[in-house]
Amino acid sequence: SHILKKNRDLTKAWKGKTDQLLRVDEHDFTMRPAFGGPAIPVGVDVQVESLDSISEVDMDFTMTLYLRHYWKDERLSFPSTNNKSMTFDGRLVKKIWVPDVFFVHSKRSFIHDTTTDNIMLRVFPDGHVLYSMRVTVTAMCNMDFSHFPLDSQTCSLELESYAYTDEDLMLYWKNGNESLKTDEKISLSQFLIQKFHTTSRLAFYSSTGWYNRLYINFTLRRHIFFFLLQTYFPATLMVMLSWVSFWIDRRAVPARVSLGITTVLTMSTIITGVNASMPRVSYIKAVDIYLWVSFVFVFLSVLEYAAVNYLTTVQERKERKLRERFSCSCGIPHSKTMMLDGNYSESDANSLAGYTRNQMVPEEEKPEKMVVHLAMSNESNSSRKRGLKGHVGLRIIQNTHAIDKYSRLIFPGTYIFFNLIYWSVFS
């Protein structure tokens, strides 16, 4: 008998003592406390451990939190001389009544179970119960991207009893706004957490009735610096690069065409990359306005050179006709007809030293080149050089078209004005 007393299973003995104290087997815990009476109040408080992710494509967020419930069940009261509570793990939860709170609009959720179920039950002598669990939940968040990426999003995690209406169970925040605690280390790579706050109201279902619903609201403001580096700066640089063609000689067709096409394709790539990471919403976002206006500027620079090239071709065609007409109609003996444009050297001018100007086509009829009829003369060499340089310098038009000159001012000025309006409206 001494050996049996020494090896007695103390765990079994304590278990029996616990059952006797809580009287779990003496009551029907399938029914709520105070069944048939007024609604049982269930206080709730939450400590947010982390905001794991925010997904714009799926329009949801993932949050890990400690969810705690407080209520009184006199069936669990027990005598105690030191007024100490008893703490249990998840195994006792399956034997007693607990609130059936669920997350409204939840897509996925689970209670952590490493190394065991993260559930704690604390019972006080007067029957008050603290029920705590560690939960990760992915819930829906309706986001408005009309100001993306200069936007702020407000998401809510909603808690509600699944079976008990407000006549049987009254959910409430235990300490008002103080019921929501957050870890100071919570941070997101793409968002700044501005504030957390709690609200509550009744929710109505036509088939079952009214339910108390609790809300955990949090406001997020998106960090803009990432999008400045990845979207806005590249788009602005592409627009500025398209303006380089205004300073390139209009006769350099391959250079200006290739520059325009390259900037257009780059802008298309930027637009495609931004939209690939966003949901297919049916409204225009702020980033769409900026990118598409930038795309229009780049595209207009290509059209600008198309207009310059077309007008240059028309002018050259007129010059050719004028040259042919003057070369056939001129009857002055010992005369030569020459074409002078902006590209002439000093040696070319010296080679004309033995000639004097006889006829010139008026400037308004010859904006690019001029037909000059030169005849032999016996004037001195120095006077011929001075006369040639003076008249040619006045008559020759530069190789820059007037459209290019105006574009150098209009395009940058308009784009700067657009940026001022854009950032003042959406910032």
Side-chain angles (χ1 to χ4, degrees):
S1 61
H2 176 71
I3 296 175
L4 291 175
K5 183 181 292 186
K6 184 177 180 180
N7 296 330
R8 193 175 72 173
D9 192 343
L10 298 178
T11 305
K12 291 182 178 180
W14 178 246
K15 179 181 178 183
K17 184 70 173 176
T18 304
D19 288 344
Q20 184 178 359
L21 283 176
L22 293 182
R23 303 191 300 273
V24 174
D25 297 330
E26 297 179 7
H27 302 281
D28 183 8
F29 283 97
T30 60
M31 311 299 292
R32 70 172 179 87
F35 177 75
I40 175 174
V42 176
V44 175
D45 70 32
V46 171
Q47 180 173 346
V48 179
E49 181 182 2
S50 65
L51 267 174
D52 302 321
S53 64
I54 307 290
S55 175
E56 290 87 357
V57 177
D58 298 327
M59 285 195 180
D60 60 24
F61 65 92
T62 301
M63 178 186 292
T64 300
L65 52 89
Y66 296 96
L67 178 62
R68 305 183 183 98
H69 307 80
Y70 303 85
W71 74 95
K72 184 177 182 180
D73 191 344
E74 295 182 354
R75 295 172 294 184
L76 297 177
S77 61
F78 61 92
S80 176
T81 57
N82 52 14
N83 200 29
K84 286 186 177 180
S85 61
M86 291 190 295
T87 302
F88 306 93
D89 58 15
R91 286 171 288 188
L92 184 62
V93 173
K94 300 176 182 178
K95 298 181 179 181
I96 65 173
W97 181 91
V98 293
D100 60 339
V101 174
F102 78 106
F103 298 102
V104 185
H105 306 308
S106 171
K107 295 182 178 180
R108 295 174 299 276
S109 61
F110 62 91
I111 298 175
H112 290 259
D113 56 2
T114 305
T115 57
T116 184
D117 291 341
N118 295 174
I119 296 176
M120 185 268 288
L121 188 72
R122 183 171 295 167
V123 182
F124 294 87
D126 59 353
H128 280 89
V129 181
L130 165 61
Y131 174 43
S132 176
M133 66 184 77
R134 182 167 175 254
V135 185
T136 294
V137 55
T138 300
M140 182 180 65
C141 178
N142 292 322
M143 302 182 184
D144 181 13
F145 297 107
S146 58
H147 284 67
F148 176 87
L150 306 169
D151 58 333
S152 295
Q153 302 295 341
T154 299
C155 299
S156 298
L157 184 62
E158 306 172 12
L159 296 87
E160 182 182 304
S161 171
Y162 191 84
Y164 296 102
T165 65
D166 61 339
E167 296 178 354
D168 290 318
L169 189 147
M170 183 182 67
L171 277 180
Y172 68 97
W173 290 112
K174 188 174 185 298
N175 298 312
N177 284 331
E178 298 297 325
S179 301
L180 180 62
K181 303 293 184 180
T182 58
D183 193 331
E184 296 179 355
K185 298 180 181 179
I186 293 179
S187 62
L188 294 170
S189 60
Q190 202 176 134
F191 290 93
L192 172 66
I193 302 175
Q194 289 187 319
K195 66 176 180 178
F196 277 91
H197 65 281
T198 61
T199 56
S200 62
R201 67 169 181 260
L202 290 175
F204 177 73
Y205 297 91
S206 59
S207 301
T208 54
W210 294 89
Y211 294 81
N212 294 112
R213 181 176 296 183
L214 306 181
Y215 296 82
I216 302 173
N217 304 307
F218 56 95
T219 303
L220 307 172
R221 181 162 184 83
R222 197 182 305 273
H223 293 298
I224 186 60
F225 189 71
F226 171 81
F227 296 94
L228 288 177
L229 291 179
Q230 299 296 324
T231 304
Y232 287 97
F233 284 165
T236 303
L237 290 178
M238 287 300 104
V239 175
M240 297 174 65
L241 183 61
S242 67
W243 300 339
V244 175
S245 64
F246 303 151
W247 276 266
I248 299 177
D249 191 341
R250 68 176 184 272
R251 293 174 299 180
V253 178
R256 295 189 66 163
V257 170
S258 60
L259 180 61
I261 296 300
T262 301
T263 53
V264 168
L265 293 178
T266 305
M267 283 301 305
S268 300
T269 303
I270 294 175
I271 294 173
T272 303
V274 171
N275 291 327
S277 60
M278 295 296 298
R280 293 177 175 86
V281 295
S282 58
Y283 49 85
I284 298 176
K285 304 181 290 293
V287 68
D288 293 334
I289 296 175
Y290 193 91
L291 292 179
W292 279 104
V293 170
S294 300
F295 182 84
V296 169
F297 271 89
V298 171
F299 186 72
L300 288 178
S301 67
V302 178
L303 295 183
E304 186 270 349
Y305 178 62
V308 169
N309 187 269
Y310 174 75
L311 295 177
T312 301
T313 304
V314 172
Q315 291 171 357
E316 290 179 351
R317 189 180 299 116
K318 291 180 180 180
E319 292 169 2
R320 192 179 303 110
K321 292 180 180 179
L322 288 173
R323 186 171 62 251
E324 292 174 355
R325 186 177 65 181
F326 275 93
S327 61
C328 296
S329 61
C330 181
I332 302 176
H334 308 291
S335 64
K336 295 182 179 181
T337 302
M338 301 185 64
M339 290 294 297
L340 297 179
D341 58 11
N343 297 325
Y344 67 94
S345 62
E346 185 69 22
S347 59
D348 297 328
N350 292 335
S351 64
L352 301 176
Y355 298 87
T356 58
R357 181 174 59 84
N358 188 31
Q359 272 186 310
M360 274 191 189
V361 179
E363 183 181 1
E364 56 273 9
E365 297 182 5
K366 299 295 295 172
E368 296 296 328
K369 299 179 181 179
M370 63 181 181
V371 180
V372 182
H373 293 271
L374 301 169
M376 296 298 294
S377 175
N378 294 325
E379 297 179 5
S380 63
N381 188 40
S382 60
S383 61
R384 284 193 294 267
K385 288 183 179 180
R386 288 193 299 270
L388 178 65
K389 289 181 179 180
H391 289 289
V392 171
L394 292 175
R395 298 289 182 175
I396 294 179
I397 305 299
Q398 294 182 356
N399 287 328
T400 301
H401 197 277
I403 297 179
D404 283 339
K405 291 181 180 179
Y406 290 121
S407 297
R408 294 173 186 175
L409 299 176
I410 294 175
F411 274 72
T414 307
Y415 194 69
I416 292 174
F417 180 71
F418 160 72
N419 273 271
L420 293 175
I421 295 178
Y422 179 87
W423 293 107
S424 62
V425 170
F426 291 103
S427 295

